[in-house]
Amino acid sequence: MAAVRLTLFPVTATPPSSLCSFNPLSRCPHLAYLSSSSSYSSSSLSGVFRATTRRLVFATRSKSVATMAASQEFTGNLKREVEKLFDASLRLTVPDGTSVETEVAASLPGKPGDYQCNNAMGLWSVIKGKGTQFRGPPAVGQAISKNLPASEMVETCSVAGPGFVNLVLSSKWMAKSIEKMLIDGIDTWAPSLPVKRAVVDFSSPNIAKEMHVGHLRSTIIGDTLARMLEYSKVEVLRRNHVGDWGTQFGMLIEYLFEKFPDTESVTETAIGDLQTFYKESKTKFDSDPDFKEKAQKAVVRLQGGDPIYRKAWAKICEISRTEFAKVYQRLKVELEEKGESFYNPFIANVIGELDSKGLIEESEGARVIFLEGFNIPLMVVKSDGGFNYASTDLTALWYRLNEEKAEWIVYVTDVGQQQHFNMFFKAARKAGWLPDSDKTYPRVDHVGFGLVLGEDGKRFRTRSSDVVRLVDLLDEAKTRSKTALIERGKDKEWTPEELDKTAEAVGYGAVKYADLKNNRLTNYTFNFDQMLSDKGNTAVYLLYAHARICSIIRKSGKDIDELKKTEKLALDHPEERALGLHLLRFAETVEEACSNLLPNVLCHYLYDLSERYTSFYSIHQVIGSPEEASRLLLCEATAVVMRKCFHLLGITPVYKI
């Protein structure tokens, strides 16, 4: 059976950039910073699949186009609905016995049509000279256009140039679809992904160390990816793979015993700054041979299950979790901790399974897995018999696949760990845990991200060259936001609680959005003045835009819920239609952001939505106009979609300014 590849221009999507390989480092971000001069390729991104197109593969069948069109129901994903129409058309246009891939993309601004198809050229290259009735790509395009099934979605369909098929949506159908969303809720527009359960592994700080700006990106990006997947009807297991096991705990426990012989009474206040406690213990470890020997023996006793040492270890972990919770509470991030210690009991059996498959070899006293394409092997057991990051990560992957039944496992760490992930992913494929194709489920993806830089272009630090504590950074964002609100006189208009909550929403939202709006693979400069500006592509601008829409609705004095039931939406003017079309593209945007694991796609959509609303509102009067009811519904639809975008980005909306 002949195979035909049919393509459409991916005119609106942003393809994922890729990563080059770096040396494997610790899961914890602060151990894996790249220098500010690091650069990385954009030629390929392993394991990330494009959502710029949806491929529908079919063989020509006898099902009638009329039957298919009649059963079509809007699912919220506009692009998918357009694909169904072209799917039906190609069943009539493509010769019998031919397999076809259908791809659809939105038209560029200013180009004819709302969606564009250029199947004709690809199809012509296959069928020419084979007795076809067509005489070139334009004729093929005309046939595709003619064979589109009748649908209330379509206003017009035309062919341009060498067979480009341009489809214009019906404004009435668009308006009805938005009205339906306002009645049934924005969740009816949620995309559907081909996976039911996913693990998102993110944040992952080390016990006994403060969370700092190095953990910011993993926590924010991971939370947004989890939110988008959850919205897309995927059960998400949010995993915090904390560094709570390893040789450093012998050092920490012995230092704890020296400072606090009665460990039962040790509290967070007694230990004080965790970072200082860690540094002091490390200094003593490096300078005092007797202490070092004690620490090494403590590791053996801890791993052997000595109850006194286990209790001291648990105390250190408990104090650390209290500190981590302060950050997660501010960011409104939910995680379930399953740290390195959780997987420790399973490691020996997993290593045994890999050994039984003939994957493990001896090398210089260590046990390793040799992998094609890598200059160094993957060490899974150290020469002293101890386990390492690779053995823990392989075990965690085995557990997530076999015990938690995850179909998609996403790891959110800095780009410096790309090689480590590439190697242990390849080892898992060699073991038969994962399919050979990185686009087949169950699948794994490493979501890498760049550095947070200071204004000097170097890694973001305090003036004393210490890393910036994340709690301090977030608190400063809130303080600056509150100061700006007070300067605008809001302390005289609002209650203290309203002022505090708004300052928190704007301050924390500004930090999140400044990170998420960038392609995660790039470095970005942390600048409070820029991120807290109320102009340009910032959270402050977007939150205020949403508040203005809410203010317009309130000032109208109309019951918006009643309007949804009794009034109709009309998209009669170009600005109204452009705004309506952008609203209807929400679901496909979320799907693209999920599929490519790129939160910035959703940020760009949100900013564009705000700009389209501004274009509409600057020209068309809402309150007191003959079209008031319709335009209030359009305002409400915009606010609803903006709020869902904010939710997916982990930002709390504000309703007045």
Side-chain angles (χ1 to χ4, degrees), residues 183-222:
I183 294 292
D184 298 339
I186 187 68
D187 287 350
T188 59
W189 280 7
S192 295
L193 300 179
V195 57
K196 287 186 170 58
R197 179 179 292 173
V199 167
V200 181
D201 178 328
F202 65 105
S203 194
S204 307
N206 274 340
I207 292 292
K209 291 189 177 182
E210 297 271 14
M211 287 185 73
H212 53 73
V213 71
H215 300 98
L216 178 66
R217 300 207 75 183
S218 177
T219 305
I220 290 173
I221 293 169

Side-chain angles (χ1 to χ4, degrees), residues 393-536:
D393 282 342
L394 281 166
T395 302
L397 176 58
W398 176 90
Y399 185 90
R400 290 162 177 175
L401 289 169
N402 293 280
E403 298 297 325
E404 295 181 322
K405 309 296 183 186
E407 299 163 85
W408 194 5
I409 304 164
V410 178
Y411 299 82
V412 187
T413 75
D414 63 277
V415 292
Q417 300 183 61
Q418 182 67 41
Q419 179 169 297
H420 167 71
F421 283 97
N422 285 345
M423 291 182 74
F424 101 76
F425 289 170
K426 188 154 191 174
R429 289 194 172 89
K430 196 172 182 180
W433 298 352
L434 297 170
D436 291 336
S437 170
D438 59 10
K439 295 182 180 180
T440 305
Y441 295 97
R443 60 178 287 177
V444 289
D445 282 292
H446 174 234
V447 174
F449 52 82
L451 289 173
V452 181
L453 305 177
E455 292 185 47
D456 58 359
K458 298 178 181 178
R459 175 179 158 189
F460 190 39
R461 290 181 177 272
T462 64
R463 289 183 180 178
S464 60
S465 295
D466 290 329
V467 292
V468 180
R469 294 175 72 241
L470 198 43
V471 167
D472 294 341
L473 182 146
L474 293 170
D475 287 349
E476 183 174 353
K478 178 181 175 180
T479 299
R480 288 180 178 235
S481 172
K482 195 170 194 175
T483 300
L485 290 169
I486 291 172
E487 288 173 353
R488 295 173 55 204
K490 297 302 176 183
D491 56 324
K492 297 178 179 62
E493 298 177 23
W494 299 344
T495 66
E497 184 182 13
E498 286 176 325
L499 182 66
D500 192 71
K501 285 189 173 181
T502 303
E504 188 173 280
V506 174
Y508 298 163
V511 171
K512 288 187 177 186
Y513 190 81
D515 187 305
L516 295 168
K517 73 177 183 181
N518 299 289
N519 185 307
R520 56 177 169 75
L521 296 173
T522 62
N523 300 338
Y524 82 95
T525 301
F526 192 97
N527 183 301
F528 273 124
D529 291 336
Q530 289 179 7
M531 66 178 58
L532 289 167
S533 171
D534 60 1
K535 296 178 177 61

